[in-house]
C-alpha cells in the first residue's frame, strides 16, 4: 500500500479514537467510499470490535438516485457492513435546494443513530477550504471562518452523540489516489458539474486556479480556519462568566445585562446565547435587528425577529428563542384517557399521574378533549373572582407565545384545567381529596409565579 494511503488509514484510526460504534454517511461518491473502506480495513486488520453501519440518504433529486442506492447496498453487502437507506422528500427553501437536502440528510442521521453510536462524514481538506471561501463571500466573522470543526456535539433522537469528520486534513487528490490504488467503485453525481451552485463554481473554476498558483493554498486556508476556531474558543472561555450572569434558568437572555456592553461584546454574547440553542449563526444585520427591533422595542410591544424556524421574542426583560409552529387556536383533539397523549406540533406529551394532584378524574360519561386558545372570562382555583383569560395568563406569568400552546383539558364542554397553569372550580377535586396530575413532558412550558402553591396547578 502506498505511503499516502497508509497515511489515510492512520489518520482515520487516530481520529476515531475510542469510539467503537460508527454510522457512516455513505453517498457512494469517492470521499465517502474511501472513508467507509478505510474503516472496513481498520476493522478487519486491527479492531474486530469496531461496529460499522452505513446510511445512504435517497433525496429523490436525480434520475440516477435509485442506481446510487443499489450501488451502495451492493458495496456494503460485499464488505459485510449493515446498510440503511432513508428516502426523504426535499422541498426548496429560502436557502436553496442544497441546504434543504442537507437538512433532510442530517435529520435522517439523527433518527437512525443508535445509543453510543457516532456519525462520521467524509468532508476533506478541499471541502474545508471551499467552506471558508463561501464564508468570506457571505461576509462572515471568525465563527463562520472557523468553517467545519473536526468534531462537534450532535443531537440525535436517541440522545447526545458526536459528529466526526476524520478526513479534514486529507486532500481530495490523496483520496482519489487511495480509491485508484484500492480499485474502489464509486458513483459520480452529475450535479457536481453544475456551476450554478456556488460551491461547484468554486470547485470547478476558482480553487484549481488558486492551487495552481499556490500549491498549498487549501492547507493554508484550513490553517487560517483553525486559528479562527482557536480565537473563538478563547472568546468562549473569556465570556463564559459574563454569559452565565445574564442567562435565565429557562434559557432567556436578560436585556439589562447587555445594555451597558460595548457593541462588540454585546454581539458576541448574543451570538453565544444563540449558539447555546443550536441555531445557525445570524449575520450582522440580523443581530442589529434583534437588538434594535426586539430588545429595545417599546415596552407595550410584542416584537418578533424570525431566524429560520424559530423566533426571537422579548418577555419580562429578556430575549427568548421560540419555536415557530402552525396555529393551534380553536383546535380540538379527543384524548383516549388515561393513555399518554402525544401533542401536535412536537409540543410534548401529556401523562396522567394517578393520586398525585388535585384535578378530578373524568367520569365514565365524560369525553376528554384537548383544546387550544383560551378565550373569555373564567374563574380558577386560588382566585376569588372571575377574570379575563388575558388577565389570568398575565398574573400567572405565562409568556404570550405559550398561551396558545398550553393544552386546555375539557370534560365534555367544561374547561377543567390548563396543564401546568391552573385548575377551574369544575375541575378541582376538593381540599381534602386526592385526584390526578397531568404531567406535560418535553415541553417548552414554564410559568413564572411565586405567589400560588404549585400544587393547585397540578
Amino acid at each position: 500500500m502506498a505511503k499516502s494511503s497508509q497515511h489515510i488509514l492512520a489518520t482515520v484510526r487516530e481520529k476515531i479514537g475510542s469510539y467503537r460504534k460508527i454510522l457512516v454517511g455513505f453517498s457512494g461518491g469517492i470521499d465517502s467510499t474511501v472513508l467507509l473502506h478505510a474503516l472496513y480495513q481498520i476493522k478487519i486488520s486491527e479492531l474486530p470490535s469496531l461496529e460499522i453501519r452505513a446510511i445512504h440518504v435517497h433525496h429523490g433529486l436525480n434520475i440516477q438516485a435509485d442506481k446510487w442506492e443499489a450501488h451502495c447496498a451492493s458495496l456494503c453487502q460485499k464488505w459485510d457492513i449493515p446498510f440503511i437507506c432513508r428516502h426523504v422528500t426535499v422541498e426548496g427553501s429560502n436557502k436553496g435546494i442544497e441546504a434543504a437536502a442537507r437538512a433532510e440528510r442530517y435529520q435522517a442521521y439523527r433518527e437512525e443513530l443508535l445509543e453510543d453510536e457516532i456519525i462520521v462524514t467524509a468532508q476533506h481538506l478541499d471541502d474545508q477550504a471551499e467552506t471558508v471561501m463561501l464564508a468570506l463571500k457571505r461576509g462572515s466573522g471568525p465563527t463562520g471562518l472557523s468553517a467545519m470543526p473536526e468534531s462537534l456535539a450532535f443531537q440525535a433522537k436517541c440522545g447526545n452523540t458526536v459528529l466526526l469528520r476524520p478526513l479534514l486534513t486529507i486532500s481530495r487528490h490523496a483520496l482519489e489516489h487511495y480509491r485508484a490504488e484500492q480499485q474502489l467503485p464509486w458513483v459520480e453525481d452529475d450535479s457536481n458539474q453544475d456551476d450554478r451552485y456556488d460551491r461547484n463554481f468554486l470547485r470547478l473554476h476558482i480553487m484549481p486556479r488558486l492551487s495552481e498558483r499556490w500549491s498549498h493554498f487549501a492547507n493554508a486556508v484550513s490553517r487560517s480556519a483553525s486559528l479562527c476556531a482557536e480565537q473563538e474558543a478563547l472568546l468562549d472561555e473569556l465570556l463564559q462568566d459574563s454569559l452565565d450572569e445574564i442567562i435565565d434558568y429557562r434559557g432567556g437572555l436578560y436585556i439589562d445585562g447587555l445594555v451597558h456592553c460595548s457593541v462588540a461584546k454585546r454581539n458576541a454574547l448574543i451570538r453565544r446565547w444563540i449558539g447555546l440553542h443550536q441555531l445557525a449563526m445570524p449575520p450582522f444585520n440580523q443581530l442589529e435587528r434583534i437588538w434594535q427591533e426586539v430588545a429595545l422595542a417599546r415596552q407595550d410591544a410584542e416584537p418578533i425577529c424570525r431566524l429560520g424556524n424559530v423566533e426571537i421574542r422579548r418577555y419580562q426583560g429578556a430575549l427568548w428563542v421560540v419555536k415557530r409552529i402552525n396555529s393551534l387556536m380553536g383546535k380540538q383533539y379527543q384524548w383516549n384517557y388515561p393513555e399518554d397523549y402525544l401533542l401536535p406540533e412536537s409540543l410534548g406529551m401529556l401523562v396522567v399521574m394517578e393520586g398525585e394532584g388535585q384535578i378530578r378524574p373524568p367520569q365514565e360519561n365524560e369525553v376528554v378533549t384537548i383544546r387550544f386558545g383560551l378565550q373569555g372570562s373564567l374563574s380558577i382555583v386560588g382566585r376569588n373572582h372571575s377574570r379575563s383569560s388575558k388577565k389570568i395568563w398575565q398574573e400567572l406569568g405565562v409568556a404570550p407565545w405559550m398561551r396558545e400552546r398550553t393544552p386546555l383539558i375539557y370534560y365534555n364542554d367544561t374547561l377543567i384545567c390548563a396543564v401546568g397553569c391552573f385548575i377551574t372550580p369544575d375541575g378541582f377535586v376538593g381540599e381534602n381529596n386526592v385526584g390526578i396530575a397531568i404531567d406535560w413532558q418535553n415541553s417548552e412550558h414554564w410559568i413564572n409565579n411565586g405567589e400560588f402553591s404549585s400544587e393547585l396547578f397540578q
Side-chain angles (χ1 to χ4, degrees), residues 178-386:
Y178 181 104
R179 185 215 62 78
E181 183 186 42
Q182 299 297 320
Q183 298 183 337
L184 302 176
W186 86 103
V187 296
E188 181 66 48
D189 185 347
D190 53 7
S191 69
N192 288 336
Q193 302 303 312
D194 187 348
D195 61 10
R196 291 176 299 174
Y197 298 114
D198 288 346
R199 185 176 289 273
N200 288 348
F201 177 78
L202 277 174
R203 180 181 300 145
L204 296 171
H205 304 299
I206 305 302
M207 301 305 289
R209 294 289 303 276
L210 293 172
S211 296
E212 182 181 350
R213 174 76 183 217
W214 301 290
S215 58
H216 297 291
F217 183 79
N219 297 80
V221 171
S222 179
R223 186 164 59 250
S224 292
S226 297
L227 291 172
C228 286
E230 184 179 295
Q231 293 300 309
E232 283 297 289
L234 176 60
L235 276 177
D236 287 342
E237 184 178 333
L238 294 175
L239 291 173
Q240 189 60 55
D241 289 343
S242 297
L243 191 60
D244 289 342
E245 290 175 359
I246 60 174
I247 289 186
D248 181 274
Y249 72 95
R250 299 158 297 185
L253 185 68
Y254 291 126
I255 295 169
D256 282 350
L258 299 169
V259 169
H260 300 295
C261 293
S262 67
V263 173
K265 184 175 182 180
R266 184 183 72 220
N267 286 343
L269 288 169
I270 294 175
R271 285 193 189 99
R272 278 153 182 80
W273 171 69
I274 289 172
L276 289 175
H277 290 274
Q278 298 184 340
L279 302 175
M281 206 53 59
F284 179 80
N285 65 325
Q286 277 195 305
L287 283 178
E288 278 298 296
R289 284 190 57 210
I290 291 170
W291 183 247
Q292 296 294 337
E293 299 177 19
V294 181
L296 300 184
R298 68 179 192 274
Q299 291 303 307
D300 60 345
E302 293 185 7
I304 299 173
C305 180
R306 291 182 176 177
L307 294 178
N309 63 349
V310 303
E311 297 171 343
I312 306 298
R313 307 279 292 261
R314 188 190 67 189
Y315 181 63
Q316 293 185 334
L319 297 174
W320 304 90
V321 172
V322 180
K323 180 175 62 178
R324 295 174 63 189
I325 65 170
N326 295 315
S327 176
L328 292 170
M329 183 64 71
K331 296 292 180 65
Q332 178 175 321
Y333 304 88
Q334 187 163 331
W335 184 2
N336 190 18
Y337 177 93
E339 294 181 4
D340 296 351
Y341 187 86
L342 188 64
L343 293 167
E345 297 295 329
S346 302
L347 287 179
M349 181 177 292
L350 299 184
V351 178
V352 175
M353 303 172 69
E354 301 281 354
E356 297 189 28
Q358 294 184 302
I359 304 170
R360 73 168 179 87
Q363 299 174 6
E364 289 187 4
N365 64 344
E366 290 181 314
V367 176
V368 183
T369 57
I370 300 166
R371 308 182 190 186
F372 294 89
L374 188 64
Q375 296 180 330
S377 297
L378 68 155
S379 296
I380 66 173
V381 175
R383 286 289 191 266
N384 295 326
H385 305 288
S386 66

Side-chain angles (χ1 to χ4, degrees), residues 95-130:
K95 295 184 177 180
I97 198 71
E98 283 183 304
R102 183 182 184 278
E104 291 293 338
R105 186 163 61 251
Y106 277 77
Q107 183 60 31
Y109 297 162
R110 289 186 176 91
E111 293 173 358
E112 186 59 42
L113 278 160
L114 303 176
E115 189 174 353
D116 297 325
E117 188 176 45
I118 67 169
I119 179 70
V120 175
T121 57
Q123 290 91 350
H124 50 71
L125 179 68
D126 297 83
D127 291 327
Q128 183 77 309
E130 292 161 9

